[in-house]
Amino acid sequence: MNITIKNEHAAVTCQTLGAELLSYQTASGREYLWQKDPAYWAKTSPVLFPYIGAVPQPVLIHGKAYDMPRHGFVKDADFQITEQGSDYVVLTTGTTDFTASVYPYDFTFTVTFRLDGPKLQATYGVANKGDKEMPYLIGGHPAFFCPMEEGEQFTEYLLRFDDEDVEDLHLQYPMFDHDAILYENLKHRSVRLIHQCTEKGIRFDFPDYLTVAFWTPIKKDAPFLCIEPWCGGTMDQVPNTDLLQKKYVQYLPAGGTKDYRFAFQPC
């Protein structure tokens, strides 16, 4: 089921399947989110939990092997609407027989979308409902049109970071030939995807995430770029699927809760 929230600045649509964000349109009708095209990528903004990355072999958790799906299972979970207003919605899922078969923890996972003026705030909430410490990786994967205006080119766009010592990244398709590009240790967790001449685009903030990755499909010249806030590292950092050895693995104590926020808006 699709849900739309809106205010005088924007309208946002998500769905209960996977709590996936589907659309962000300004009041004038400008769409900023990639609209699923299987020729390039049939997703818009999957939620990554409790694992990030490919799974060439079963995922190990405390020495036991589990058949974890790529990027975890929340992206395919059925969510329920637990709270809703005109400009916000809260979606919730949790432990099922399937999740228990691939991840031995009792949890609740919430996704909140809230409009604050033109800014969309997304909050992923994790709750450990069990009696033992719970490890996990978590991240977002929203895709934005790039180029954003007719007549522009992907290669006319750049990523500009708030960290003064981090250089602009001018986009070129070959730089993604080895998969996502990961940035770590940023002091200011904010980046802009903008056109090099007009400097118009989007601003993306990720205060609760330790890294951010950028991705577009390999060798497809796709007209979009994903900005992915992660608490998780790339495969080459820890080249196995032992969850407890993964860089940036998160731990939540029994009964604990934690929120992870990101937000974006046109700029």
Side-chain angles (χ1 to χ4, degrees):
M1 183 175 77
N2 289 358
I3 308 115
T4 297
I5 60 174
K6 59 185 177 180
N7 62 15
E8 66 271 26
H9 298 279
V12 170
T13 300
C14 63
Q15 64 182 15
T16 51
L17 177 60
E20 186 176 8
L21 187 60
L22 300 177
S23 172
Y24 174 101
Q25 286 191 6
T26 62
S28 64
R30 168 74 58 80
E31 178 65 71
Y32 280 85
L33 284 172
W34 167 246
Q35 299 298 289
K36 307 179 179 188
D37 181 350
Y40 296 104
W41 190 51
K43 293 284 189 179
T44 295
S45 182
V47 181
L48 314 184
F49 176 88
Y51 195 81
I52 293 175
V55 280
Q57 56 193 13
V59 171
L60 294 177
I61 305 176
H62 292 294
K64 186 173 179 180
Y66 296 90
D67 291 325
M68 179 76 67
R70 177 186 177 88
H71 287 326
F73 47 72
V74 160
K75 67 186 188 304
D76 301 309
D78 290 320
F79 281 73
Q80 303 299 316
I81 301 171
T82 50
E83 194 175 339
Q84 186 175 5
S86 60
D87 60 357
Y88 76 97
V89 65
V90 182
L91 305 169
T92 304
T93 192
T95 309
T96 65
D97 289 344
F98 170 72
T99 68
S101 73
V102 297
Y103 183 65
Y105 299 96
D106 188 12
F107 70 94
T108 299
F109 194 95
T110 62
V111 175
T112 303
F113 295 118
R114 185 182 301 272
L115 279 166
D116 178 12
K119 179 187 294 184
L120 177 66
Q121 299 177 331
T123 304
Y124 297 169
V126 185
N128 182 353
K129 311 299 286 186
D131 59 3
K132 55 187 176 181
E133 185 178 63
M134 186 173 80
Y136 57 92
L137 305 176
I138 186 170
H141 204 309
F144 298 92
F145 277 119
C146 185
M148 299 180 191
E149 294 276 3
E150 198 169 330
E152 295 177 343
Q153 301 296 320
F154 181 88
T155 52
E156 295 171 356
Y157 278 74
L158 59 85
L159 292 163
R160 178 164 292 163
F161 300 86
D162 278 9
D163 287 30
E164 294 179 356
D165 60 341
V166 178
E167 294 183 356
D168 292 347
L169 182 67
H170 291 262
L171 299 182
Q172 300 288 334
Y173 284 116
M175 66 177 51
F176 299 97
D177 283 354
H178 299 288
D179 213 355
I181 299 170
L182 186 74
Y183 278 73
E184 306 173 85
N185 305 314
L186 292 173
K187 183 166 53 177
H188 302 291
R189 294 175 187 171
S190 184
V191 63
R192 283 177 289 161
L193 172 62
I194 55 176
H195 189 271
Q196 62 188 8
C197 295
T198 67
E199 297 197 353
K200 290 184 177 180
I202 61 150
R203 179 182 182 91
F204 192 97
D205 301 297
F206 50 103
D208 300 314
Y209 293 89
L210 300 175
T211 69
V212 63
F214 304 99
W215 177 82
T216 193
I218 297 171
K219 298 185 185 304
K220 287 190 176 182
D221 291 2
F224 69 86
L225 182 76
C226 290
I227 302 178
E228 306 176 38
W230 287 356
C231 287
T234 57
M235 280 294 293
D236 60 322
Q237 289 178 309
V238 182
N240 62 49
T241 52
D242 188 332
L243 179 60
L244 304 186
Q245 292 185 29
K246 285 295 182 181
K247 198 170 185 180
Y248 306 114
V249 63
Q250 304 287 284
Y251 291 94
L252 200 57
T257 62
K258 189 168 183 179
D259 287 344
Y260 299 81
R261 297 163 296 159
F262 69 81
F264 64 85
Q265 66 184 86
C267 66

